[in-house]
Amino acid sequence: MTTTTPLPEKTVPDPAEPPPSLLDRFRVPGAFLLGAVLLLGVAPLALSDFRLNLLAKYLCYAIVAVGVSLAWGRGGLLVLGQGVFFGLGGYAMAMHLKLADAADTGQTLPDFMQLYGTGDTLPWWWQPFANPLFALAMTVLLPMAVAALVGFFVFRRRVKGAYFAILSQALAAALAIWLVGQQATTGGTNGLTDIQGFFGYDLNDPVNQKMVYFIIAAVLLLLMALARQLFVSRYGELLVAVRDSEERVRFLGYDPAGVKLVAYVVAAGMAGLAGALFVPAVGIISPALIGIVPSIGFVIGAAVGGRASLVGAVLGALAVAWAQSTLSDAFPAAWTYLQGLLFVLAVGFLPGGLASLAVVVRRRRTPRTTTTTAAPTGGTA
Amino acid sequence: MTVILNQSFTGISIGAVLLLIALGLTLTFGQMGVINMAHGEFIMAGAYTTYVLQKSISGAGASLLVALPVAFLVAGAMGALLEWLLIRRLYTRPLDTLLVTWGVSLMLQQLARDIFGAPNVQTAAPDLLTGNISVGGITFANNRLFILGLALLCVLGLTLILRLTPLGRRIRAVVQNRDLAEVSGIATERVDRTTFFIGSGLAGVAGVALTLVGPIGPTMGTNYIVDAFLVVVVGGVAQLKGSVITAFALGVLQSVLEYSTTVSVAKVVVLVAIVAFLQWRPQGLYTLRTRSLA
């Protein structure tokens, strides 16, 4: 396309508007506190062990959505390969837990390796994961390192828009295919299953499951706070500027590649952490959880909820994950249609997601066109 | 020596399949900038068209010949409908077309599941296309030769349309400068829809060809879609010859790597090679020169 995309109008604070009231100033910390109370206080009391465990799983998707909101919503980088980083984090964690489980029963090899009979020695790249600190560090550092490597080459040469989206998607496909191919050392299609312990705690014990839930909820809240700080920082402004007009930012003397790289790497780290926490909550990590389809799934929630709004993206991810598991069991066919339709309507007709619904409705009611909120575009190609 | 020749024929035939499925995308993605994830489902539609026609027309050869134009029309009509319903609202947001059409592709897959059932189905190949031809120790599978011929025919046809017909001139004009084309009296909206019709129709033709080499199922489109996009990305937008060269190059690379390593390692190496290639030529192999900054 040679047409230039029209630049979204900038939000300029209306001088006629009154200064923010006390209520407005405490809106963000207040909402954060409310979320913390709901997640850490109300949910564990109100939900059964089974449902709390499900919620823990959804919260892992929400953690990925925080990164998606940063990279895509703010940075305009359509990250379609978050499954790669989710998978790297998940496998790093699962490899350690499998080794720990094996050590508990006096074995040197994880159960599936004995099954496939590939010899008695652990592959060299499995060995460091016996160390819990190394494994924990790898859940975040490995995805970030891969993202840094890919991002460096891709952004430096100004590969952007659709090209970046397709490359990131191909990356997810490649990792999933590679994992399936290396059955003897990665568990192949099955992945790493049947994880029993979590750093010395028995995962079959409901009390320990609850502990895992609390860890996940705390990490989500922490990362949301971190992302919020990034959004309001100078860096956050720069990221939005790169999304809306990369050339202009370049002419001003900044390096857009570096700005995008940071967002991509941070989002990757968040996805890796989410994958690592997913493993004790669900007890499994497999290629089916990280290929193209789940990778797009990570984006769906954020798109439906509102990509540019942090809370919108997180709530969207939770809602879609919840709808997926409740509706897809009862009406698998109807759910697929609904999921497709939801996606078409949300992205096609409500690009700001459900988070922008209030704004859209308000604007319809009051026909005033002087100040328009910049609608998040998908970034210029 | 024969091993090398046989292996390169395998590569060329992989390339022919890649070329067929990527050809439609060269129009809709390469020329129009629309990322149509439902392209894979148009391929599926073409394959199921072949399946349905074979049930009603006796003789695998006859039904295959009828299926080619019918699949083109069926998939093309689906594409034109999609363009009219959704995509024309999204020309200023190319990335969002990816997500919207992904939603459409989910629905189309489920539709196929509801109509034809979830398990894969198979069509019978005509007798003429089941055997092999052996020339000087090299074995050519007939169905692969047919696909190669079909791919080259489609490229030739598309090139002739784009180069020689008034429609092709209008398509190229819209691609190079939409605004100027509009003020020159070209009905750009109609050109967009026609371009989409042809691009999607070519996906249908690819679907017919794929019934000769594999099973037909609701998820068959997803298996090919990423590869097809990679071909267009590496080939460079708006140039047919880029896609042709890339498809065959990737096919040969893939088959050589598969021979020396495994299928999964080959996939990963091909991807690394693509990223490395984009370092050298970020805009792809061939690109239309414009004066725009982007």
Side-chain angles (χ1 to χ4, degrees), chain B residues 159-170 172:
Chain B
T159 312
L160 290 180
I161 289 177
L162 284 178
R163 289 286 141 201
L164 299 180
T165 64
L167 171 69
R169 260 200 306 281
R170 283 199 292 270
R172 283 184 288 135

Side-chain angles (χ1 to χ4, degrees), chain A residues 275-303:
Chain A
L277 294 168
F278 183 85
V279 170
V282 181
I284 181 174
I285 185 84
S286 78
L289 290 163
I290 65 178
I292 291 181
V293 175
S295 290
I296 294 185
F298 287 132
V299 171
I300 292 187

Side-chain angles (χ1 to χ4, degrees), chain A:
Chain A
M1 293 268 289
T2 53
T3 50
T4 47
T5 329
L7 300 174
E9 290 173 54
K10 281 212 80 167
T11 0
V12 184
D14 191 344
E17 255 177 41
S21 68
L22 206 62
L23 199 70
D24 275 351
R25 204 174 303 161
F26 286 102
R27 206 166 49 95
V28 170
F32 186 75
L33 209 64
L34 181 71
V37 169
L38 280 177
L39 275 183
L40 298 175
V42 177
L45 290 175
L47 296 176
S48 67
D49 285 342
F50 174 72
R51 295 202 167 272
L52 197 67
N53 182 240
L54 271 186
L55 182 59
K57 183 176 152 187
Y58 305 159
L59 291 181
C60 291
Y61 295 141
I63 293 176
V64 183
V66 174
V68 171
S69 177
L70 175 74
W72 183 39
R74 299 286 163 138
L77 302 167
L78 181 46
V79 279
L80 282 183
Q82 291 307 85
V84 170
F85 310 121
F86 189 83
L88 288 174
Y91 270 91
M93 175 65 94
M95 280 159 75
H96 172 68
L97 298 184
K98 286 304 283 184
L99 288 175
D101 280 354
D104 282 348
T105 52
Q107 311 275 348
T108 49
L109 289 180
D111 46 11
F112 74 92
M113 283 192 195
Q114 296 160 21
L115 202 68
Y116 298 132
T118 48
D120 299 327
T121 47
L122 204 58
W124 61 267
W125 52 277
W126 268 74
Q127 282 166 10
F129 285 91
N131 182 326
L133 285 179
F134 177 81
L136 268 183
M138 277 302 123
T139 61
V140 183
L141 294 182
L142 196 62
M144 288 175 97
V146 171
L149 195 72
V150 173
F152 175 77
F153 286 114
V154 165
F155 296 138
R156 196 181 56 135
R157 293 300 302 201
R158 304 186 194 175
V159 173
K160 49 191 164 183
Y163 296 85
F164 172 73
I166 288 161
L167 275 184
S168 72
Q169 195 172 34
L171 206 62
L175 180 68
I177 291 170
W178 184 79
L179 285 169
V180 170
Q182 311 296 311
Q183 185 160 31
T185 48
T186 62
T189 327
N190 296 332
L192 302 177
T193 57
D194 197 29
I195 284 154
Q196 301 291 333
F198 184 58
F199 296 102
Y201 294 93
D202 181 10
L203 280 176
N204 296 316
D205 187 343
V207 177
N208 293 338
Q209 270 299 332
K210 210 164 246 186
M211 174 188 76
V212 169
Y213 167 81
F214 276 115
I215 294 175
I216 294 173
V219 167
L220 173 65
L221 288 167
L222 205 72
L223 291 183
M224 283 179 78
L226 181 83
R228 159 97 200 152
Q229 280 314 305
L230 265 182
F231 285 175
V232 297
S233 69
R234 261 175 69 86
Y235 171 76
E237 302 268 310
L238 207 52
L239 187 62
V240 173
V242 169
R243 176 192 77 190
D244 290 343
S245 179
E246 185 169 337
E247 293 302 333
R248 217 181 284 181
V249 173
R250 198 191 317 280
F251 292 148
L252 286 174
Y254 291 100
D255 171 28
V259 174
K260 291 202 268 191
L261 189 63
V262 170
Y264 187 50
V265 169
V266 171
M270 288 180 177
L273 198 53
L277 294 168
F278 183 85
V279 170
V282 181
I284 181 174
I285 185 84
S286 78
L289 290 163
I290 65 178
I292 291 181
V293 175
S295 290
I296 294 185
F298 287 132
V299 171
I300 292 187
V304 170
R307 62 187 82 157
S309 149
L310 183 59
V311 178
V314 166
L315 289 182
L318 287 177
V320 169
W322 172 80
Q324 168 114 40
S325 55
T326 45
L327 291 177
S328 66
D329 289 342
F331 324 96
W335 163 245
T336 314
Y337 287 123
L338 185 69
Q339 193 184 15
L341 198 66
L342 197 66
F343 215 38
V344 169
L345 293 179
V347 179
F349 299 94
L350 199 63
L354 293 177
S356 70
L357 201 58
V359 180
V360 172
V361 170
R362 207 181 306 148
R363 204 184 301 154
R364 283 273 161 83
R365 277 205 198 135
T366 51
R368 197 172 62 117
T369 46
T370 45
T371 52
T372 45
T373 331
T377 61
T380 51

Side-chain angles (χ1 to χ4, degrees), chain B residues 22-87:
Chain B
L23 202 55
L25 280 182
T26 318
L27 272 184
T28 55
F29 175 61
Q31 309 249 349
M32 295 170 73
V34 171
I35 314 165
N36 179 19
M37 292 299 280
H39 193 81
E41 277 58 49
F42 295 159
I43 293 174
M44 175 191 79
Y48 274 116
T49 304
T50 320
Y51 172 71
V52 169
L53 282 173
Q54 196 162 75
K55 296 228 146 174
S56 45
I57 300 174
S58 56
S63 68
L64 190 72
L65 282 183
V66 177
L68 284 172
V70 174
F72 181 84
L73 292 177
V74 168
M78 287 169 75
L81 189 69
L82 180 71
E83 200 275 343
W84 179 67
L85 279 176
L86 290 172
I87 289 172

Side-chain angles (χ1 to χ4, degrees), chain B residues 112-168:
Chain B
R113 228 170 268 137
D114 285 347
I115 297 175
F116 300 102
N120 288 343
V121 295
Q122 205 120 31
T123 55
D127 293 337
L128 197 63
L129 297 183
T130 46
N132 297 311
I133 300 176
S134 227
V135 178
I138 316 161
T139 327
F140 299 102
N142 284 352
N143 56 354
R144 298 278 177 181
L145 281 178
F146 175 76
I147 291 176
L148 184 61
L150 188 64
L152 294 178
L153 208 65
C154 286
V155 172
L156 190 70
L158 194 57
T159 312
L160 290 180
I161 289 177
L162 284 178
R163 289 286 141 201
L164 299 180
T165 64
L167 171 69

